[in-house]
Amino acid sequence: MPAKELRIGLIGGGRIGKLHGRNINTSVPGAKVVCLAETMLNDGHKAWVDETGIPKATKDPADIMNDKNIDAVFICSPTDTHADFIIQAARNGKHIFCEKPIHTDMQKIKEALVEVEKAAVKLQIGFVRRFDHNHKKVHDTVASGVLGKPHIVKITSRDPEGPPLDYIAVSGGIFMDMTIHDFDMARYLAGSEVIEVMAYGAINIDPGYKKYGDVDTAVVMLKFENGAIGLIDNSRAAHYGYDQRTEVHCDKGCVQVANDLNDTSVISTGDGVFCEKPTWFFLERYNNAFIAEAIDFVDAVSNNKKPPVDGKDGMMAVYIAMSANKSLKEHRPVMLSELTKLFININSYIL
Amino acid sequence: MPAKELRIGLIGGGRIGKLHGRNINTSVPGAKVVCLAETMLNDGHKAWVDETGIPKATKDPADIMNDKNIDAVFICSPTDTHADFIIQAARNGKHIFCEKPIHTDMQKIKEALVEVEKAAVKLQIGFVRRFDHNHKKVHDTVASGVLGKPHIVKITSRDPEGPPLDYIAVSGGIFMDMTIHDFDMARYLAGSEVIEVMAYGAINIDPGYKKYGDVDTAVVMLKFENGAIGLIDNSRAAHYGYDQRTEVHCDKGCVQVANDLNDTSVISTGDGVFCEKPTWFFLERYNNAFIAEAIDFVDAVSNNKKPPVDGKDGMMAVYIAMSANKSLKEHRPVMLSELTKLFININSYIL
Amino acid sequence: MPAKELRIGLIGGGRIGKLHGRNINTSVPGAKVVCLAETMLNDGHKAWVDETGIPKATKDPADIMNDKNIDAVFICSPTDTHADFIIQAARNGKHIFCEKPIHTDMQKIKEALVEVEKAAVKLQIGFVRRFDHNHKKVHDTVASGVLGKPHIVKITSRDPEGPPLDYIAVSGGIFMDMTIHDFDMARYLAGSEVIEVMAYGAINIDPGYKKYGDVDTAVVMLKFENGAIGLIDNSRAAHYGYDQRTEVHCDKGCVQVANDLNDTSVISTGDGVFCEKPTWFFLERYNNAFIAEAIDFVDAVSNNKKPPVDGKDGMMAVYIAMSANKSLKEHRPVMLSELTKLFININSYIL
Amino acid sequence: MPAKELRIGLIGGGRIGKLHGRNINTSVPGAKVVCLAETMLNDGHKAWVDETGIPKATKDPADIMNDKNIDAVFICSPTDTHADFIIQAARNGKHIFCEKPIHTDMQKIKEALVEVEKAAVKLQIGFVRRFDHNHKKVHDTVASGVLGKPHIVKITSRDPEGPPLDYIAVSGGIFMDMTIHDFDMARYLAGSEVIEVMAYGAINIDPGYKKYGDVDTAVVMLKFENGAIGLIDNSRAAHYGYDQRTEVHCDKGCVQVANDLNDTSVISTGDGVFCEKPTWFFLERYNNAFIAEAIDFVDAVSNNKKPPVDGKDGMMAVYIAMSANKSLKEHRPVMLSELTKLFININSYIL
């Protein structure tokens, strides 16, 4: 056990921020949240920090950045603030856990990653699904090599219900907001970089998406460097729960995982056979995965290890999402290199 | 029951011909195979007709075509003979069951369909998977409308083992030979015509495919007229058996089917939990479906009904396969109309 | 292939007789039913023999017994005629397939078995479930020894719907009529003789069973010679289909089988997840098993092999059923030896 | 939320005590463990209380009993101390959570229950499986009445590995130590009292059980007041994990639950299909159930509700276990009333 407990500043007190805060203080040994910074701080936040055993709450993130006793930050604020908080934290020598996506502006991402590199702090991106027991088993099986080279990577990812349309207005679009998780999952499962993307989209659920140039149903094909082909299908509204299945078909066979269900019951009557639905949404399905990623972050910082999901992982998922957007708009397959070469001169960082 | 038994001439005594012959004579009420025509007729065929209760075998298909007592033919000969046999049978007033694909040359297909139309005989194409209890359940659920409009149609179709390379040389390529079944299944499940195709292919299993300009791994995206998107993934060699799963995600939910297994056993030990493999290949998986399609053909002929899979179905699957070939070669999405308009002047038949 | 086709006389033209007759004439190579004997012969039977290709039908079973050209009989008549037909067939040198139970009167059973032994003809009892792909897999796994010694044998066996009460009146009671299959299954799976039985019964479905001293719900515990314990649960009316599951827990682990389902579909909506029911009843579930047992019988006769289910198997299941009846009545565990010793002097046959 | 946090004294710092202590302090709102009493208190316990945020540890349970600031106790000490701690806690006006079994001596149980009644404190017994999502679903389905009256209640309960033989020496025997959970589950699922028990036992795993008059394999049949029949099968060593399945067959159909698995993966290769094992043992399977029962206890105390598992539940399971022991020894079905009448004069408490 590390001699010293990791002291964490939490930036953002929304749903995901509270989730991480509670997890750290109840289920992550060797770490404590010591301050919440939330620009819209209200009485609800104050009650929550009391309950959760967080001794301080502030409206000003600088209170965290400037506190010498804080070792690391969890960035759970809106996406367009991520890069700046990463830069500030890095410059203050703090280790960083940042929610996905790292940012939607590639130039900002690169600037942030350069600062992280300079400061030699740890950066972990919140691709929580990598820590799910099911998807991890698919990854581990493929990575072990027992099935040989991957041929086909399949990801089904459907939300139970679409968000309100005013969220869609600012979401960055389905690929940057929702499929971004699947793009990371695809790289994780294939063990290889994506080199090309072809996207189909449709508005099947709510005509309101049209106004925002967005789609509610999407299918994406991916080509990987190692010769594998990827397939992702998304829906904003599956209705029956959170549909999160992955599958990799390899040289010697196939590994696949089904959804976790609410329970294993089977009720058989003359009217039919009734089984349980998948767990409702990400809070239910990825509950343990959120704890596991925080534990791994604390372990990476405390024991000077490479974080399991790093800045390059965060950046690559954004490149794929940008390529998918371009493919959908231009109705053609898009090579990732068309985009990566545009950003090649920004700095010396990856790609 | 029809007063008169349907008398059938079987053209082709290979694996699939024998399968149909045996099924008709043991499991299809109201029909009998009365003659086998096989240009390579040998002692094996003679023993087989004896066993199967088929009174006559000949090398010359004309013996069937000219026999006034034969009501219908089952065309189970090589693909490049299909159209000509359809034309001959139609001109001789015989009803026709023809194995898939109807042909690979669109002009020949159209000529054949015109003759069928003129002769007003029944024509059924052997897309046997429509008669499988699992896929049929998916279709029937979607078609019933209880789930609303289809959004995403997914088909996994993997053979247990690839054929020998000398078969690949003459197969017509993966899309015409293997995916053709899935193209038909896609139309069947979506209840809508395919309007666009985007295909990815890879050689992951056997470098020998390169010589024939073919691939062993393929993924195809489809756009349907009704707004649904389709996804097909194929492998020539799954190793664990015949992987035949379908799924349609609709407005109100999802219907999916898994493989049939050899048995339902689960063996649990300290070493792990062992389940059974999918049934090995099409003879095992679609055994009952082959019988069901023959029964339906006999019913269509005997009771003057529309065959459940007709000439247009046969033709459309070929159009989709041609489009997939073009997409793979030209590395872009291909509209079906690019191809269908080329053949529009051949005759007045469909499209 | 045997030079000569086995010529079979079918005794009894009820549901099970017709099932065997059709199976033999369509799906069992090397055998043909050449005569039906049915004491209540009517026009329906005559139409059926025509359809099925059986050249002769008679009211008098003696026409079969006396026909030198008939090699074997299938006894599908009412239970109380089984022993006499076995004796007549044996005395006429005919091989015998007899439906279960062999008889309900132990003295008659022993007399019949002595005649079979004297005549050195083959006798197979119709415990068809041994030929089911699922239960056979459980048996084969246990018999292979990979799991070590069996500890617990569990059989769930529930009919979809109870028979009419006038059938209950003459059925011989639940243990002799329904559980008899499970008693055979228990011996088959455990690979050991039953030495003790404890039965609980209840009338939960239909108070009408009371009048006949019968129960509609039954649970039986069994002790086997090899130290294993058995558990059977029965219901006359499961409603959701034919519930036929078996499980053996052994020294190193457990093997179990689930029901076959109508299809593998899963329909997921906001209202729930709907799966398919088990196949409806024995005609659906054991269809292939009926064919397999007939094939094995023909093989045993044609190639002079031991039948897979013999006279002793038929007799032992009856002993267990008698013991279960006694246990239920006397409300105590009953040793099989209490009953077997009563019959020990009848003749020199087994036990 | 209650104004005041419930202050809990933990009696016993073994595995189960630590489990409850950690759960209360991390996952049960409105309650805190404020003292551990452990007669064998060592440095390990001291480190653990520090980690867990428990401010005090003592060797003397009286320190808890006499502490006016402690509202409730969790009794996690050895079984033979349960009744005395219940009595002391009740006399000191403390609410009581007591691990199962409540005790093995019926006279002590009754004395304890009388004291609880007099003191009007809450008493909850730790039958944790009632709080498992799967078994609870079976219970709730039966209790809802949608399936009608229960006919057959089946419980499979097998430990992954047997305890060491020196534990067997003091365990009280399989029925009091292991099946006690299943006896409670049987009452819970059937919604009815057990009136009769018939037990079979065998030594199949380890001959060492003989010395202690115990068995390692057991099967029990139960009769319920409502006419249902119960079936329990136990093994001390399943090897593949913790096998915890329940099923109730009712008038209109059946509800059953399978095990939770480590993950939902299916790996299919030419060698076979590999699934995941059940979760290993009770810590994994019933993790959330332990939290849920503590939350319910705190709720019962804080909001003056009836605890979900009360003293009578604790006592009845012991009566059934005593009856099962008697049945096994005397080789006959045993009525519960044979035992309950023996204790009827002890006091006025239940029965």
Side-chain angles (χ1 to χ4, degrees):
Chain A
M1 188 178 300
K4 185 175 153 293
E5 191 164 67
L6 197 72
R7 295 164 60 87
I8 291 173
L10 177 62
I11 299 174
R15 184 168 58 171
I16 197 76
K18 283 179 180 164
L19 175 74
H20 283 301
R22 186 176 52 79
N23 281 346
I24 294 167
N25 280 11
T26 60
S27 308
V28 179
K32 277 293 159 200
V33 176
V34 295
C35 184
L36 165 70
E38 166 55 60
T39 53
M40 317 282 282
L41 195 72
N42 59 29
D43 288 350
H45 293 111
K46 283 172 191 164
W48 178 80
V49 296
D50 281 354
E51 242 179 81
T52 315
I54 299 175
K56 190 176 162 189
T58 173
K59 287 194 172 185
D60 188 357
D63 291 349
I64 286 175
M65 296 301 176
N66 297 328
D67 186 337
K68 298 291 179 209
N69 287 318
I70 290 183
D71 307 303
V73 296
F74 266 62
I75 303 175
C76 302
S77 51
T79 299
D80 59 359
T81 66
H82 285 182
D84 285 339
F85 283 133
I86 290 174
I87 291 168
Q88 289 171 38
R91 287 182 181 164
N92 284 286
K94 301 196 188 317
H95 302 289
I96 304 156
F97 179 97
C98 181
E99 262 306 318
K100 65 95 223 172
I102 185 168
H103 208 93
T104 56
D105 176 332
M106 188 54 70
Q107 183 148 349
K108 294 291 285 183
I109 293 174
K110 294 230 169 181
E111 284 169 22
L113 297 188
V114 168
E115 291 296 325
V116 167
E117 207 172 27
K118 272 194 212 157
V121 293
K122 307 289 181 192
L123 169 63
Q124 182 172 328
I125 307 300
F127 284 127
V128 65
R129 296 183 194 178
R130 291 192 183 209
F131 300 85
D132 174 67
H133 59 154
N134 290 328
H135 306 314
K136 191 174 183 313
K137 175 69 168 282
V138 176
H139 168 269
D140 292 353
T141 304
V142 174
S144 76
V146 293
L147 296 182
K149 211 168 72 85
H151 294 183
I152 301 170
V153 175
K154 290 177 75 171
I155 298 170
T156 296
S157 176
R158 302 174 192 153
D159 284 354
E161 318 188 293
L165 281 178
D166 52 10
Y167 175 85
I168 294 303
V170 299
S171 72
I174 194 168
F175 295 132
M176 197 64 81
D177 179 59
M178 182 175 162
T179 327
I180 191 101
H181 272 302
D182 307 309
F183 294 140
D184 181 65
M185 183 56 64
R187 292 177 66 244
Y188 173 64
L189 296 182
S192 179
E193 292 298 342
V194 170
I195 55 174
E196 188 183 303
V197 176
M198 174 75 205
Y200 273 9
I203 298 176
N204 280 321
I205 300 167
D206 186 341
Y209 281 71
K210 199 178 169 68
K211 181 174 164 191
Y212 305 106
D214 203 358
V215 296
D216 53 33
T217 305
V219 167
V220 183
M221 292 203 299
L222 306 167
K223 270 191 195 169
F224 296 93
E225 258 180 0
N226 65 1
I229 306 175
L231 274 170
I232 298 167
D233 75 271
N234 291 146
S235 170
R236 281 283 190 187
H239 301 297
Y240 49 87
Y242 197 37
D243 197 346
Q244 299 277 300
R245 291 170 280 153
T246 54
E247 172 176 345
V248 183
H249 182 63
C250 299
D251 205 41
K252 294 179 191 162
C254 183
V255 52
Q256 59 184 304
V257 288
N259 289 307
D260 286 340
L261 307 181
N262 289 324
D263 60 57
T264 63
S265 64
V266 177
I267 299 176
S268 306
T269 75
D271 293 330
V273 177
F274 308 90
C275 302
E276 252 307 311
K277 293 193 210 175
T279 50
W280 179 242
F281 209 170
F282 67 94
L283 291 180
E284 292 80 14
R285 168 62 185 266
Y286 293 127
N287 185 33
N288 290 327
F290 280 111
I291 294 171
E293 70 173 354
I295 288 175
D296 270 22
F297 173 70
V298 170
D299 180 49
V301 170
S302 301
N303 300 304
N304 194 24
K305 296 177 179 172
K306 190 179 168 325
V309 195
D310 64 14
K312 184 186 169 187
D313 294 319
M315 184 179 67
M316 292 313 300
V318 174
Y319 268 128
I320 304 172
M322 290 166 67
S323 304
N325 278 331
K326 198 174 178 64
S327 171
L328 186 62
K329 200 170 298 172
E330 303 182 6
H331 196 47
R332 65 173 180 89
V334 170
M335 301 284 288
L336 248 72
S337 57
E338 298 178 35
L339 289 159
T340 54
K341 71 186 176 197
L342 294 180
F343 295 99
I344 211 156
N345 296 320
I346 297 175
N347 53 54
S348 65
Y349 199 78
I350 311 131
L351 292 178
Chain B
M1 188 179 297
K4 184 175 153 292
E5 189 163 69
L6 197 72
R7 296 166 56 89
I8 291 171
L10 178 62
I11 299 174
R15 184 168 57 171
I16 196 76
K18 284 179 179 164
L19 174 74
H20 284 300
R22 184 175 53 78
N23 282 347
I24 294 166
N25 280 11
T26 61
S27 310
V28 179
K32 277 292 158 199
V33 176
V34 296
C35 184
L36 165 70
E38 166 56 60
T39 54
M40 317 281 282
L41 194 72
N42 60 29
D43 288 350
H45 293 111
K46 285 173 189 163
W48 178 79
V49 297
D50 281 355
E51 244 177 80
T52 315
I54 298 173
K56 190 177 162 190
T58 172
K59 287 194 173 183
D60 189 357
D63 291 349
I64 285 175
M65 298 299 178
N66 297 328
D67 186 335
K68 298 292 180 207
N69 287 319
I70 290 182
D71 307 301
V73 295
F74 265 63
I75 303 176
C76 303
S77 51
T79 299
D80 61 358
T81 67
H82 286 181
D84 285 340
F85 282 133
I86 289 172
I87 291 167
Q88 289 171 38
R91 289 183 180 164
N92 282 286
K94 301 196 187 317
H95 302 289
I96 304 157
F97 178 98
C98 181
E99 264 304 319
K100 63 94 229 176
I102 186 168
H103 207 92
T104 56
D105 176 333
M106 188 53 70
Q107 183 147 351
K108 294 290 286 182
I109 292 173
K110 295 230 168 181
E111 285 170 20
L113 297 188
V114 168
E115 291 295 327
V116 167
E117 207 171 28
K118 273 195 213 159
V121 293
K122 307 287 181 193
L123 169 63
Q124 182 173 327
I125 306 300
F127 285 126
V128 67
R129 295 182 194 178
R130 291 192 184 209
F131 301 85
D132 174 66
H133 58 154
N134 290 326
H135 307 313
K136 192 172 182 316
K137 175 70 168 280
V138 176
H139 168 269
D140 292 353
T141 304
V142 174
S144 76
V146 292
L147 297 183
K149 213 169 70 88
H151 294 182
I152 301 170
V153 175
K154 290 176 75 171
I155 299 170
T156 296
S157 176
R158 302 174 192 152
D159 284 353
E161 317 187 293
L165 282 178
D166 52 8
Y167 175 85
I168 293 304
V170 301
S171 70
I174 193 168
F175 295 132
M176 198 63 82
D177 179 58
M178 182 175 162
T179 326
I180 191 98
H181 272 300
D182 307 310
F183 294 140
D184 182 65
M185 183 57 62
R187 292 177 65 244
Y188 174 64
L189 296 182
S192 179
E193 291 298 342
V194 170
I195 56 173
E196 188 184 303
V197 178
M198 174 75 205
Y200 272 8
I203 298 176
N204 280 321
I205 300 166
D206 186 338
Y209 280 71
K210 199 178 169 70
K211 181 174 163 191
Y212 305 107
D214 202 357
V215 295
D216 53 34
T217 305
V219 166
V220 183
M221 291 203 300
L222 306 167
K223 270 192 196 169
F224 295 93
E225 258 180 0
N226 63 0
I229 307 176
L231 274 169
I232 298 167
D233 76 89
N234 290 146
S235 170
R236 282 284 191 185
H239 300 299
Y240 49 87
Y242 197 37
D243 197 346
Q244 299 279 299
R245 290 171 279 155
T246 54
E247 172 177 343
V248 182
H249 182 62
C250 299
D251 205 40
K252 294 180 191 163
C254 182
V255 51
Q256 59 184 306
V257 288
N259 288 306
D260 285 340
L261 307 181
N262 289 322
D263 60 57
T264 63
S265 64
V266 176
I267 300 176
S268 306
T269 75
D271 293 332
V273 176
F274 307 91
C275 301
E276 251 307 310
K277 294 192 210 176
T279 50
W280 179 242
F281 209 169
F282 67 93
L283 292 180
E284 291 82 13
R285 168 64 185 266
Y286 294 127
N287 185 34
N288 291 328
F290 279 112
I291 293 171
E293 71 172 355
I295 288 174
D296 269 21
F297 173 72
V298 169
D299 179 49
V301 170
S302 301
N303 300 305
N304 194 26
K305 297 178 180 172
K306 189 178 168 327
V309 197
D310 65 13
K312 184 187 169 186
D313 293 318
M315 184 180 67
M316 291 313 299
V318 174
Y319 268 127
I320 304 172
M322 290 167 67
S323 304
N325 278 330
K326 197 173 179 64
S327 171
L328 186 62
K329 201 171 295 171
E330 303 182 6
H331 196 47
R332 63 172 183 89
V334 170
M335 301 284 288
L336 247 71
S337 58
E338 298 178 36
L339 288 159
T340 53
K341 71 184 176 196
L342 295 179
F343 295 98
I344 211 157
N345 296 320
I346 297 176
N347 54 54
S348 65
Y349 199 77
I350 312 129
L351 293 177
Chain C
M1 187 178 299
K4 185 175 154 291
E5 190 163 67
L6 196 72
R7 296 166 58 88
I8 291 171
L10 178 62
I11 298 174
R15 183 168 59 170
I16 198 74
K18 282 179 180 165
L19 174 75
H20 283 301
R22 185 176 51 79
N23 281 345
I24 294 166
N25 279 11
T26 61
S27 310
V28 179
K32 278 291 160 202
V33 176
V34 296
C35 184
L36 165 70
E38 165 56 59
T39 53
M40 317 282 282
L41 195 73
N42 60 29
D43 288 349
H45 293 111
K46 284 172 191 163
W48 177 79
V49 297
D50 282 352
E51 243 178 80
T52 316
I54 298 173
K56 190 177 164 190
T58 173
K59 288 195 172 182
D60 188 357
D63 292 347
I64 285 175
M65 298 301 177
N66 297 329
D67 186 336
K68 299 290 179 209
N69 287 319
I70 290 182
D71 307 302
V73 294
F74 266 62
I75 302 175
C76 303
S77 50
T79 299
D80 61 357
T81 67
H82 286 181
D84 284 339
F85 282 134
I86 289 172
I87 291 167
Q88 290 171 37
R91 288 181 180 165
N92 282 286
K94 302 198 187 315
H95 302 288
I96 304 155
F97 178 98
C98 181
E99 263 305 320
K100 64 95 226 175
I102 186 167
H103 208 92
T104 55
D105 175 333
M106 187 53 69
Q107 182 148 351
K108 293 291 286 182
I109 293 173
K110 295 229 166 181
E111 284 169 21
L113 297 187
V114 168
E115 290 296 325
V116 168
E117 206 171 29
K118 274 194 211 157
V121 293
K122 307 287 181 192
L123 169 64
Q124 181 172 330
I125 306 301
F127 284 126
V128 65
R129 297 183 192 177
R130 292 192 183 208
F131 300 85
D132 173 67
H133 58 154
N134 290 328
H135 307 312
K136 192 174 181 314
K137 175 71 166 280
V138 175
H139 168 269
D140 291 353
T141 303
V142 174
S144 76
V146 292
L147 297 182
K149 212 168 72 84
H151 294 182
I152 301 170
V153 175
K154 289 176 76 171
I155 299 171
T156 295
S157 176
R158 302 174 192 153
D159 284 354
E161 315 188 295
L165 282 178
D166 52 8
Y167 175 85
I168 293 303
V170 300
S171 70
I174 195 168
F175 296 131
M176 198 63 82
D177 179 58
M178 182 176 162
T179 326
I180 190 101
H181 271 302
D182 307 308
F183 294 140
D184 182 64
M185 183 57 62
R187 292 177 66 243
Y188 174 62
L189 297 181
S192 179
E193 292 298 342
V194 170
I195 56 173
E196 187 184 305
V197 177
M198 174 75 205
Y200 272 9
I203 297 177
N204 280 320
I205 301 167
D206 186 339
Y209 280 70
K210 198 178 169 70
K211 181 175 163 189
Y212 305 108
D214 203 357
V215 295
D216 52 35
T217 305
V219 166
V220 183
M221 292 203 300
L222 306 167
K223 271 193 195 167
F224 295 94
E225 256 179 2
N226 65 0
I229 306 175
L231 274 169
I232 298 167
D233 76 89
N234 291 147
S235 171
R236 281 283 190 188
H239 300 298
Y240 49 88
Y242 197 37
D243 197 345
Q244 297 279 300
R245 292 171 279 154
T246 53
E247 171 178 346
V248 183
H249 182 62
C250 300
D251 203 42
K252 294 179 190 164
C254 182
V255 52
Q256 58 183 304
V257 289
N259 288 307
D260 286 340
L261 307 181
N262 289 323
D263 59 57
T264 63
S265 64
V266 178
I267 299 177
S268 306
T269 75
D271 292 331
V273 176
F274 308 89
C275 301
E276 252 307 311
K277 293 192 210 175
T279 50
W280 179 242
F281 209 170
F282 68 93
L283 291 179
E284 293 80 15
R285 167 64 185 265
Y286 294 126
N287 185 33
N288 291 327
F290 280 112
I291 294 172
E293 71 173 354
I295 287 175
D296 269 23
F297 173 71
V298 170
D299 179 50
V301 170
S302 301
N303 300 304
N304 194 25
K305 296 177 180 172
K306 190 180 169 324
V309 196
D310 64 14
K312 183 186 170 188
D313 294 318
M315 183 179 67
M316 291 313 299
V318 174
Y319 269 128
I320 304 173
M322 290 166 67
S323 303
N325 278 330
K326 196 173 179 66
S327 171
L328 186 63
K329 200 169 299 171
E330 303 181 5
H331 195 47
R332 64 172 181 90
V334 170
M335 302 283 289
L336 248 72
S337 57
E338 299 178 34
L339 289 159
T340 53
K341 72 186 176 196
L342 296 180
F343 295 99
I344 210 156
N345 297 319
I346 296 175
N347 53 55
S348 65
Y349 198 77
I350 312 131
L351 292 178
Chain D
M1 188 178 298
K4 185 175 152 291
E5 190 164 68
L6 197 72
R7 296 165 57 87
I8 290 172
L10 178 62
I11 299 174
R15 185 168 59 170
I16 197 75
K18 284 179 179 165
L19 175 73
H20 283 300
R22 185 175 53 77
N23 281 345
I24 293 167
N25 280 10
T26 61
S27 310
V28 179
K32 277 292 159 200
V33 176
V34 295
C35 184
L36 165 70
E38 166 56 60
T39 53
M40 317 280 283
L41 194 74
N42 59 28
D43 288 349
H45 293 112
K46 284 173 191 163
W48 177 79
V49 296
D50 281 353
E51 243 178 81
T52 314
I54 298 174
K56 189 176 163 191
T58 172
K59 287 195 171 184
D60 188 357
D63 292 348
I64 286 175
M65 298 301 177
N66 297 328
D67 186 335
K68 299 291 177 210
N69 289 318
I70 290 182
D71 306 303
V73 296
F74 266 62
I75 303 175
C76 302
S77 50
T79 299
D80 59 358
T81 67
H82 285 180
D84 284 339
F85 283 134
I86 290 173
I87 291 167
Q88 290 170 38
R91 290 182 179 164
N92 283 286
K94 301 195 187 318
H95 302 289
I96 304 157
F97 179 98
C98 180
E99 264 305 319
K100 65 93 227 176
I102 187 168
H103 207 91
T104 55
D105 176 332
M106 187 53 70
Q107 181 148 351
K108 295 291 285 182
I109 293 174
K110 295 228 167 182
E111 285 168 20
L113 296 187
V114 168
E115 291 295 326
V116 167
E117 208 172 28
K118 274 194 212 158
V121 293
K122 307 286 181 192
L123 168 64
Q124 182 172 327
I125 307 300
F127 284 126
V128 66
R129 296 183 193 177
R130 291 193 183 207
F131 299 85
D132 174 66
H133 59 153
N134 290 327
H135 306 313
K136 191 173 183 315
K137 176 70 167 281
V138 176
H139 168 269
D140 292 354
T141 303
V142 174
S144 77
V146 293
L147 297 183
K149 211 169 71 89
H151 294 183
I152 301 171
V153 175
K154 290 175 75 171
I155 299 170
T156 296
S157 177
R158 301 174 192 153
D159 285 353
E161 316 187 296
L165 282 178
D166 51 10
Y167 174 86
I168 293 304
V170 299
S171 71
I174 193 167
F175 296 131
M176 198 63 81
D177 179 59
M178 182 175 162
T179 326
I180 191 99
H181 272 300
D182 308 309
F183 294 139
D184 181 65
M185 182 58 62
R187 292 177 67 244
Y188 174 64
L189 298 182
S192 179
E193 293 297 342
V194 170
I195 55 173
E196 187 184 304
V197 177
M198 174 75 205
Y200 272 8
I203 298 176
N204 279 321
I205 300 166
D206 186 339
Y209 280 70
K210 199 179 168 69
K211 181 174 163 191
Y212 305 107
D214 203 357
V215 295
D216 52 35
T217 305
V219 166
V220 183
M221 292 203 301
L222 306 166
K223 269 192 197 169
F224 296 93
E225 257 180 1
N226 64 0
I229 307 176
L231 272 169
I232 298 167
D233 75 89
N234 291 146
S235 171
R236 282 282 192 186
H239 301 299
Y240 49 87
Y242 196 38
D243 198 344
Q244 297 280 299
R245 291 172 279 153
T246 54
E247 171 176 344
V248 182
H249 183 63
C250 299
D251 204 41
K252 294 180 190 164
C254 182
V255 52
Q256 58 184 305
V257 288
N259 289 305
D260 286 340
L261 307 181
N262 288 321
D263 59 57
T264 63
S265 65
V266 176
I267 299 176
S268 306
T269 74
D271 293 331
V273 176
F274 308 91
C275 301
E276 253 306 312
K277 293 191 209 176
T279 50
W280 178 244
F281 209 169
F282 66 93
L283 292 179
E284 292 81 14
R285 169 63 185 267
Y286 294 126
N287 186 33
N288 290 328
F290 280 112
I291 294 172
E293 70 173 354
I295 288 174
D296 270 23
F297 173 71
V298 170
D299 180 48
V301 171
S302 301
N303 300 304
N304 194 24
K305 296 178 180 171
K306 189 180 167 328
V309 197
D310 65 13
K312 185 186 169 188
D313 293 318
M315 184 180 67
M316 291 313 300
V318 174
Y319 268 127
I320 305 172
M322 289 166 68
S323 304
N325 277 330
K326 196 172 179 66
S327 172
L328 186 62
K329 202 170 295 170
E330 302 182 5
H331 195 49
R332 64 172 181 91
V334 170
M335 301 285 286
L336 247 71
S337 57
E338 299 179 34
L339 289 158
T340 54
K341 69 183 176 196
L342 294 181
F343 295 99
I344 212 156
N345 297 318
I346 296 175
N347 52 55
S348 66
Y349 199 78
I350 313 131
L351 292 178

